[in-house]
Amino acid sequence: MQLTIKNLTKKYNSKKIGLSDYSIDISSGILGVLGPNGAGKSTLMKMISTITKPTQGDIFLNENDVVKHPNYMRQALGYLPQDFGVYPNLNAYEFLAYMAAMKGVGGKNLHHRIETLLEEVNLTDAAKNQLKTYSGGMIQRIGIAQALLNDPKVLIFDEPTVGLDPEERLRFRDLISDLATNRIIILSSHIVSDIESIADEVAIMKKGNLIIKDKQDSITKLAEGKVYETTISRANIINFKSNFNVVSSYRMNNEFKVRYISNAVNQIGEMVTPTLEDAYIYLTKN
Amino acid sequence: MMLQYFNIIKGNYLQYVRSYSFLLTIAFSLFIAFNFVPSPNANYTTVSFGGYTGNYTAEWIGFVTAILASTFLSLCGFFLVNGSIKKDIETRIGHIIGTTKVSNLTYIFSKVTSNFLVLLTILFIIFITGIALFFLYGNTYAFNISSFVTPYILIAIPTLFLIANLAVVLEVIFPTKRMLQYGVFLFLFFATLFSAANDKTPIISSDLFGIQYVTSSVANEVQETFNKKDIGLSIGFVSGSRNPEKTFQMSSLSFPSWYVYSRLLWILIAVLASTIASFFFHRFNHKESPRKTILVSEETKHKSADFKLGNLHHDIEMSYSLAPLIQAELLMIIRKNPSYLWILTICGFTSMFFIPLNIAHLYILPILWFLQVTVWSDLVTKDQTFRTHFFTNSSYHPLKRLAISRIIAGLSIAICIALPVLIRYAINLNFSSVLNVILGATFIVLVAVFLGAFTKSKKTFEIAFFFLVYCNINQVKALDYFGGLHHSYSYGFLMTAIVSVLFFLSYLLLYRNKTYGN
């Protein structure tokens, strides 16, 4: 599987640009997409999933032009949007059957596949209840189930762990790892740890541009020698945060243990080994 | 406190006036205002007294536009402003509002005021159009500003204030039952209108529209002028009833103090109703009623999802049949309407087998179709409402499969409801009428699709459909889309052409909206 994005641009109007001259090659495996709010992650996801048309540029899936022939992508696509809803008057089974019909999936195995999916997302008991009675977490699980209905070759997950409990988040990561063989999985998240543990490659975006796309190790190396940890008194913490690029701070009695990034050498505190989160902060805030 | 109140009103009002539907509202207002006062060559009347209409004086135009605004605009206006609380529920703004310091009373009255401002905006357009029409048609008469303005202040404005309140009160009483809100409103509206027409007591009366006294005064004037008795009043678009020879010079209306107090009393009643409603306002907590709580086992409640892919090794078969899509759409349609509406529909459906065919066709059928208004208005807008557009827009051939299946589902419901009429016409070998009813069903479903795709809102269709039903019951020939008044094949051909154009335009709009358009 090969997804090629060439010079993709999305302009909403003359002032607002969602994505600017974006190019990237994505092969089978898991690509984690990181970026602050407004970086263009969801815009990119919507264009790959054929919901929005790019202003300029091309998207090719296995050398097929997806912009001209969106149904080629749609047949292979499983998409979990960031903020989606459901038809409240359908129950879980009916909703999945409807989604399957939309995707052009049918046949004698469909019934069994839906039942298995419902079991795996722990909704079998509630399958006969109309979706208007479901909680946010249950809706998120229905969203995950619908994305897998058509055995997709391209899976796009936009903030997939919202609404899942901590145990489910861990299992969901395992699910994504299991799915990655012979599939392209694009995983967008604000939560670096969701991506850090499973992504083969990471793409970091900022203001509609791709800053970097590489293996996690290579990205992490960019922040080497720039990450420090020190302890700051409670009285000075606000002043410190305004002067330094703080990644995290933990309160300990009347002091704060602070992890921060600085380009300057001989900074206060101890230099530490950078993580993906450090590199992400370093690349997006500098 | 007051600043907070005005900021909410400003927000609500700005949100409305910046919407696309506001532009349509202005266009619609101009259209109805222009038609409220028939041109000298027009062959219809909107207000007449025993066939007599007034000369184009400021008194007559002010009177006609004000009483039509009080009745007709309040009827359409209700549908326009109703749903403002629902919008806060749908956009989830309600959850934020529910946690703020804004009191129920402030919130309810901010909604009332916003509704009132929207209706006043339309009234203002009617007012300006009325003045323009005076100078267009009646420029030989002197323009008496007070005679023109007073009916607006005393007749139309209090009624619109009542409607603004009623729209909110009904939303509070039936928060999730839109058809029930419509039903109760229509019952109140027509019951009040009927009661007002028969109320001869000149003291504070049940006439919330404020038209009984003024129409009686004008009727008396006509009786005295032409020395006739029992001059009947006709309000509404009545075609072919205009006689340019039967005109009279209307004198300025006088409003006695009891009339003014009566209007003030209605305003007070409206304020009181909204105040009482604010005590029962759900404050966006209505979904947590116990009967809607999901019943799952304790084990399910405490078990996390496994997400084990090992169990998902089934062969996938592709199937591009429309049948499962249509089936799901029909299921959603059937579940959308509350059971009482289906009971009403079944009663009406059964009655159409037995009552005279022309009554079944002319009156029962359009009303039964109107009961499906929320179903059809949802056909192409529900994905925006439920935020499922990500799924539908990325589905396989959304336009050829999904949109078509929705149209077929909507049409199936329309034709099913019309079956008694269709069967009876077929038995009578009246196949042109069979064709016209089927074309009418197709037309109304496609209007829903077209307006939904064009405005991306369900409200436009709901108001347009109501307007159509009103005209159908009043037998306006030009709007007889379902062949109630036309039974020829030639009319069928005309409707076929209209339906084809509508389908083509709807297809283009859906193409723009759904597939790679935005």
Side-chain angles (χ1 to χ4, degrees):
Chain A
M1 297 297 291
Q2 184 69 32
L3 182 66
T4 307
I5 292 169
K6 283 185 183 170
N7 311 108
L8 209 62
T9 297
K10 179 69 183 178
K11 281 184 186 174
Y12 293 105
N13 54 47
S14 58
K15 287 177 186 168
K16 194 178 174 191
I17 296 173
L19 211 62
S20 176
D21 203 25
Y22 191 100
S23 297
I24 195 168
D25 284 315
I26 306 169
S27 306
S28 296
I30 304 167
L31 174 74
V33 180
L34 284 170
N37 286 335
K41 300 190 296 296
S42 288
T43 305
L44 177 66
M45 303 293 161
K46 282 181 201 165
M47 283 195 281
I48 297 173
S49 56
T50 74
I51 288 169
T52 308
K53 188 179 179 181
T55 314
Q56 275 175 8
D58 300 297
I59 303 170
F60 295 98
L61 178 65
N62 298 334
E63 298 181 356
N64 290 281
D65 189 338
V66 171
V67 178
K68 281 187 185 161
H69 307 290
N71 288 305
Y72 182 78
M73 171 64 90
R74 287 167 182 167
Q75 274 186 305
L77 181 72
Y79 179 42
L80 177 69
Q82 183 180 352
D83 180 28
F84 67 93
V86 290
Y87 299 106
N89 295 326
L90 295 182
N91 66 34
Y93 185 90
E94 291 158 351
F95 178 75
L96 290 182
Y98 186 47
M99 287 289 120
M102 274 193 210
K103 289 165 186 258
V105 175
K108 57 184 185 301
N109 285 329
L110 179 65
H111 177 74
H112 188 46
R113 188 171 178 86
I114 291 174
E115 284 190 337
T116 314
L117 274 165
L118 286 170
E119 201 174 313
E120 291 312 310
V121 295
N122 192 27
L123 289 174
T124 308
D125 275 8
K128 293 278 163 63
N129 293 75
Q130 292 189 16
L131 296 176
K132 63 185 168 195
T133 60
Y134 279 29
S135 68
M138 292 164 95
I139 296 285
Q140 187 70 4
R141 283 184 263 151
I142 272 288
I144 292 167
Q146 69 76 31
L148 298 172
L149 267 170
N150 57 333
D151 194 19
K153 298 292 175 250
V154 178
L155 260 166
I156 298 176
F157 292 116
D158 201 352
E159 305 284 354
T161 55
V162 174
L164 301 183
D165 67 31
E167 218 177 322
E168 284 171 345
R169 277 176 62 184
L170 292 174
R171 286 185 189 144
F172 183 70
R173 285 181 206 168
D174 292 342
L175 164 69
I176 292 178
S177 301
D178 287 347
L179 287 167
T181 318
N182 295 324
R183 283 189 178 88
I184 290 172
I185 298 179
I186 304 172
L187 177 63
S188 159
S189 182
H190 287 96
I191 305 163
V192 179
S193 62
D194 275 353
I195 283 174
E196 194 170 32
S197 52
I198 51 170
D200 298 309
E201 287 191 301
V202 174
I204 296 177
M205 295 174 68
K206 185 183 175 183
K207 292 181 181 170
N209 292 294
L210 177 67
I211 301 175
I212 191 167
K213 182 222 162 201
D214 213 330
K215 302 272 182 201
Q216 287 196 45
D217 290 349
S218 310
I219 293 175
T220 308
K221 271 184 188 169
L222 296 172
E224 263 179 17
K226 296 176 174 67
V227 186
Y228 299 86
E229 271 185 3
T230 188
T231 307
I232 303 290
S233 69
R234 198 173 173 179
N236 292 326
I237 187 71
I238 294 172
N239 191 33
F240 187 86
K241 280 186 175 177
S242 61
N243 291 324
F244 291 94
N245 200 349
V246 174
V247 179
S248 60
S249 60
Y250 303 96
R251 190 175 165 182
M252 301 182 306
N253 297 325
N254 282 329
E255 292 182 323
F256 282 86
K257 188 179 180 185
V258 179
R259 189 178 179 98
Y260 71 101
I261 293 167
S262 174
N263 277 321
V265 290
N266 298 325
Q267 286 295 331
I268 49 169
E270 183 190 352
M271 187 188 292
V272 292
T273 309
T275 62
L276 182 63
E277 186 163 23
D278 297 326
Y280 166 65
I281 301 285
Y282 170 68
L283 289 165
T284 54
K285 290 201 174 173
N286 278 303
Chain B
M1 179 69 180
M2 283 309 279
L3 186 68
Q4 188 186 39
Y5 178 66
F6 284 118
N7 280 335
I8 297 172
I9 294 164
K10 189 179 162 192
N12 287 337
Y13 186 71
L14 285 180
Q15 187 193 331
Y16 185 75
V17 296
R18 286 173 184 167
S19 71
Y20 192 60
S21 56
F22 185 70
L23 282 176
L24 286 169
T25 306
I26 289 178
F28 182 69
S29 308
L30 278 169
F31 173 77
I32 59 167
F34 193 77
N35 286 290
F36 274 179
V37 184
S39 71
N41 301 322
N43 190 22
Y44 71 93
T45 59
T46 50
V47 177
S48 70
F49 296 88
Y52 289 94
T53 54
N55 292 325
Y56 293 108
T57 59
E59 289 79 6
W60 174 252
I61 294 176
F63 162 74
V64 167
T65 50
I67 64 163
L68 285 172
S70 183
T71 50
F72 196 71
L73 175 59
S74 60
L75 191 58
C76 296
F78 174 84
F79 291 98
L80 189 70
V81 296
N82 175 257
S84 56
I85 297 176
K86 189 168 188 280
K87 192 152 199 162
D88 284 345
I89 295 171
E90 283 173 357
T91 56
R92 302 185 205 174
I93 291 287
H95 289 132
I96 299 170
I97 294 168
T99 58
T100 62
K101 278 165 56 184
V102 173
S103 68
N104 286 357
L105 193 70
T106 308
Y107 178 76
I108 292 295
F109 275 98
S110 70
K111 288 291 171 194
V112 167
T113 315
S114 310
N115 288 350
F116 185 50
L117 284 176
V118 170
L119 295 176
L120 275 187
T121 308
I122 299 170
L123 187 68
F124 180 71
I125 293 166
I126 292 170
F127 175 80
I128 296 294
T129 312
I131 294 174
L133 290 176
F134 169 80
F135 287 106
L136 193 66
Y137 302 149
N139 51 10
T140 52
Y141 303 100
F143 184 68
N144 184 346
I145 184 80
S146 70
S147 299
F148 190 86
V149 173
T150 317
Y152 277 85
I153 294 171
L154 292 175
I155 303 171
I157 290 178
T159 309
L160 295 184
F161 183 74
L162 263 165
I163 294 297
N165 280 271
L166 191 59
V168 174
V169 170
L170 288 177
E171 267 204 274
V172 173
I173 298 172
F174 310 111
T176 55
K177 310 245 182 291
R178 199 148 46 106
M179 278 308 287
L180 204 56
Q181 292 169 29
Y182 290 178
V184 172
F185 168 73
L186 288 174
F187 172 77
L188 286 175
F189 182 89
F190 286 109
T192 316
L193 200 61
F194 181 76
S195 149
N198 294 293
D199 187 0
K200 303 295 177 196
T201 51
I203 314 177
I204 295 169
S205 66
S206 59
D207 177 21
L208 66 86
F209 301 103
I211 58 170
Q212 198 269 331
Y213 163 73
V214 285
T215 52
S216 296
S217 298
V218 180
N220 288 338
E221 192 180 343
V222 174
Q223 284 176 23
E224 283 167 18
T225 309
F226 298 101
N227 200 21
K228 290 195 172 180
K229 287 184 179 175
D230 295 328
I231 290 284
L233 165 69
S234 160
I235 297 182
F237 291 87
V238 183
S239 61
S241 58
R242 187 173 163 82
N243 183 352
E245 304 299 318
K246 292 175 82 173
T247 57
F248 68 100
Q249 186 79 11
M250 184 182 153
S251 54
S252 191
L253 283 169
S254 65
F255 295 95
S257 55
W258 68 263
Y259 180 88
V260 178
Y261 292 137
S262 170
R263 304 305 284 153
L264 283 174
L265 184 72
W266 277 114
I267 289 173
L268 278 174
I269 289 169
V271 171
L272 193 66
S274 292
T275 309
I276 293 168
S278 73
F279 294 120
F280 302 100
F281 177 49
H282 50 68
R283 209 171 170 88
F284 307 101
N285 192 30
H286 64 283
K287 275 191 175 177
E288 292 177 14
S289 55
R291 67 189 171 85
K292 283 187 179 173
T293 307
I294 191 163
L295 297 170
V296 292
S297 69
E298 282 303 306
E299 191 190 352
T300 306
K301 266 185 196 168
H302 301 296
K303 188 183 152 201
S304 294
D306 286 335
F307 297 131
K308 281 182 187 159
L309 189 69
N311 298 329
L312 282 175
H313 290 151
H314 312 113
D315 290 330
I316 295 296
E317 279 178 52
M318 300 313 281
S319 164
Y320 304 120
S321 160
L322 292 186
L325 290 172
I326 296 169
Q327 191 186 336
E329 292 296 338
L330 286 171
L331 200 62
M332 281 191 268
I333 287 173
I334 290 164
R335 287 188 187 155
K336 184 178 170 61
N337 275 344
S339 45
Y340 69 87
L341 217 56
W342 284 118
I343 292 168
L344 268 178
T345 306
I346 290 166
C347 292
F349 179 87
T350 315
S351 74
M352 286 200 295
F353 279 110
F354 305 107
I355 59 175
L357 186 52
N358 67 323
I359 292 176
H361 190 173
L362 271 173
Y363 299 103
I364 308 296
L365 183 60
I367 290 170
L368 288 188
W369 275 349
F370 184 69
L371 293 182
Q372 304 302 319
V373 62
T374 57
V375 160
W376 290 328
S377 68
D378 240 8
L379 278 179
V380 294
T381 57
K382 66 175 162 221
D383 293 317
Q384 289 297 328
T385 310
F386 299 136
R387 291 174 296 113
T388 47
H389 53 289
F390 294 115
F391 300 136
T392 51
N393 289 8
S394 61
S395 65
Y396 186 69
H397 282 298
L399 193 57
K400 282 184 192 164
R401 299 178 69 244
L402 194 59
I404 295 295
S405 65
R406 285 179 175 176
I407 292 171
I408 292 171
L411 188 56
S412 308
I413 292 290
I415 288 179
C416 276
I417 289 171
L419 269 180
V421 172
L422 289 172
I423 290 168
R424 290 175 74 181
Y425 276 131
I427 290 169
N428 295 344
L429 302 177
N430 187 349
F431 294 110
S432 62
S433 290
V434 170
L435 176 72
N436 288 340
V437 171
I438 293 171
L439 285 168
T442 317
F443 172 82
I444 201 65
V445 172
L446 287 176
V447 168
V449 172
F450 173 76
L451 288 177
F454 185 54
T455 64
K456 295 180 183 170
S457 150
K458 48 184 139 187
K459 197 152 262 189
T460 325
F461 170 71
E462 289 173 2
I463 296 170
F465 194 11
F466 183 78
F467 180 73
L468 266 180
V469 174
Y470 172 82
C471 293
N472 296 147
I473 288 169
N474 283 290
Q475 303 194 4
V476 177
K477 275 193 167 182
L479 295 172
D480 170 37
Y481 68 93
F482 59 104
L485 302 167
H486 302 83
H487 302 280
S488 62
Y489 277 111
S490 59
Y491 193 70
F493 294 138
L494 174 70
M495 281 307 294
T496 307
I498 292 171
V499 162
S500 305
V501 170
L502 207 52
F503 181 78
F504 178 69
L505 290 175
S506 304
Y507 194 87
L508 285 180
L509 283 168
L510 288 170
Y511 181 80
R512 185 198 71 176
N513 295 348
K514 279 213 176 290
T515 54
Y516 262 71
N518 36 0

